[in-house]
Amino acid sequence: MKIIDGKTLAENLRKNIANEVKQYSRPPGLAVLLVGDDQASQVYVRNKSRACVEVGFYSDQIHKSANITQEELLSEVQRLNENNNIDGILVQLPLPSHIDANEIIEAIIPEKDVDGFSSENVGKLSLNKPFISPCTPKGVIKMLDSIKCDLRGKDCVIIGASNIVGRPMAMEFLNAGATVQVCHKETKDIKQKTKSADIIVAAAGVANLVNSEWVKEGAVIIDVGINRLEDGSMTGDVDFDDVKDTVSAISPVPGGVGPMTIAVLLENTLTAYQAKL
Ligand code: GUN
């Protein structure tokens, strides 16, 4: 059984990015916009900003109060769209419920949409002509590449159909020549589907949802879950100890998908920067 070491993969990706940045006189710039006081979001935003500085990017962290209006937030995005030192804009999700998140995402110009969430960038990925693609699914593909997992003809089952992970993950798999099923809240008997999968991506946000009864011998599992248990520890969507003797490879939580997502965000920012040159 192989452990897919996202932490080390991400370190290598960051090293390559840092090396590439050295040749430029102006650093790539990433603006991260956080609205409100969500604890988890604050941690993610801090980690993203820190990773930026480490690879030699310029990082602008903007924190707005939870009662910001739609118009104020739109003008903040507009200001960043026009700022020549900013190559990437990330609005941390979720946004407060009075904010129309979709309108905010669409307000970011696609050239600076380093999350790849705008309809233009989603459309390009869907047409297999990617420009900037969502970080987590792109990171998952890199993790599978790292264990030389050939995706052509593979049966992939994704648990979760979010715009951030499940949907773009389906497109990445399709573009790589795999056959894809996306399971969600309305899906009948998810276990029966994962049981025949060559590759399972678990992104449901339910601690220890996937156990050995869900998994075929020799399957590969990527665990996208980040769940906080009552004792403060972090766990994925997969019961690691229960499946470890069944799978051929699995990504751990922590140290799997999380660090890869951030490294790909840096890569996307570099792509946005280079496209502007
Ligand atoms: N919230 C959870 N994951 C993400 C992500 O990848 N990007 C943004 N902007 N917000 C998130």
Side-chain angles (χ1 to χ4, degrees):
M1 192 270 292
K2 270 186 255 183
I3 304 262
I4 307 174
D5 181 1
K7 188 161 175 268
T8 304
L9 275 175
E11 260 167 39
N12 290 335
L13 187 53
R14 290 199 306 269
K15 264 184 215 152
N16 292 340
I17 293 167
N19 264 328
E20 220 169 313
V21 167
K22 283 181 191 149
Q23 66 183 295
Y24 301 117
S25 52
R26 177 181 77 80
L30 174 67
V32 180
L33 233 168
L34 173 66
V35 180
D37 307 308
D38 182 75
Q39 287 289 320
S41 288
Q42 288 189 17
V43 174
Y44 298 149
V45 163
R46 206 181 311 133
N47 289 342
K48 287 169 185 176
S49 298
R50 189 184 302 150
C52 266
V53 174
E54 268 174 28
V55 296
F57 286 8
Y58 166 65
S59 159
D60 190 3
Q61 205 177 314
I62 301 149
H63 193 174
K64 294 288 175 190
S65 135
N67 56 28
I68 190 171
T69 65
Q70 183 80 14
E71 287 64 38
E72 284 166 341
L73 193 51
L74 280 173
S75 63
E76 196 62 41
V77 169
Q78 205 49 44
R79 192 177 65 78
L80 295 167
N81 280 338
E82 289 160 10
N83 183 338
N84 286 328
N85 291 318
I86 296 298
D87 304 283
I89 303 168
L90 180 147
V91 179
Q92 186 65 30
L93 303 175
L95 288 166
S97 55
H98 69 278
I99 298 285
D100 177 352
N102 194 49
E103 190 187 22
I104 302 297
I105 289 166
E106 296 293 351
I108 301 169
I109 55 171
E111 292 81 0
K112 295 192 181 189
D113 165 34
V114 286
D115 261 328
F117 292 164
S118 65
S119 46
E120 183 167 319
N121 285 323
V122 171
K124 285 181 174 170
L125 176 65
S126 302
L127 296 169
N128 200 8
K129 295 268 180 287
F131 169 49
I132 293 173
S133 316
C135 303
T136 300
K138 196 172 158 190
V140 170
I141 297 291
K142 286 178 190 287
M143 292 167 81
L144 293 169
D145 282 347
S146 80
I147 57 160
K148 304 204 164 25
C149 181
D150 184 358
L151 293 168
R152 284 174 299 176
K154 292 282 161 62
D155 290 324
C156 301
V157 172
I158 301 161
I159 311 172
S162 70
N163 290 347
I164 296 178
V165 182
R167 287 164 192 266
M169 190 75 253
M171 286 305 154
E172 291 281 3
F173 278 144
L174 202 52
N175 292 346
T179 304
V180 191
Q181 278 185 303
V182 185
C183 302
H184 47 79
K185 286 196 177 71
E186 309 291 344
T187 302
K188 285 179 289 178
D189 201 356
I190 298 180
K191 182 166 131 181
Q192 171 251 326
K193 300 183 186 352
T194 56
K195 191 89 199 160
S196 62
D198 300 310
I199 298 161
I200 301 168
V201 173
V206 179
N208 299 322
L209 175 70
V210 178
N211 59 44
S212 57
E213 287 178 14
W214 291 46
V215 179
K216 176 175 83 173
E217 185 77 36
V220 174
I221 304 188
I222 304 288
D223 191 349
V224 182
I226 303 176
N227 307 294
R228 284 265 167 224
L229 298 182
E230 270 176 28
D231 66 1
S233 65
M234 196 206 283
T235 187
D237 288 357
V238 181
D239 187 337
F240 187 96
D241 288 330
D242 194 55
V243 303
K244 68 179 193 302
D245 297 325
T246 308
V247 298
S248 65
I250 182 168
S251 72
V253 177
V257 172
M260 281 304 287
T261 294
I262 295 185
V264 173
L265 171 66
L266 301 174
E267 185 179 72
N268 282 354
T269 304
L270 186 60
T271 299
Y273 173 92
Q274 288 168 334
K276 207 161 75 176
L277 288 182

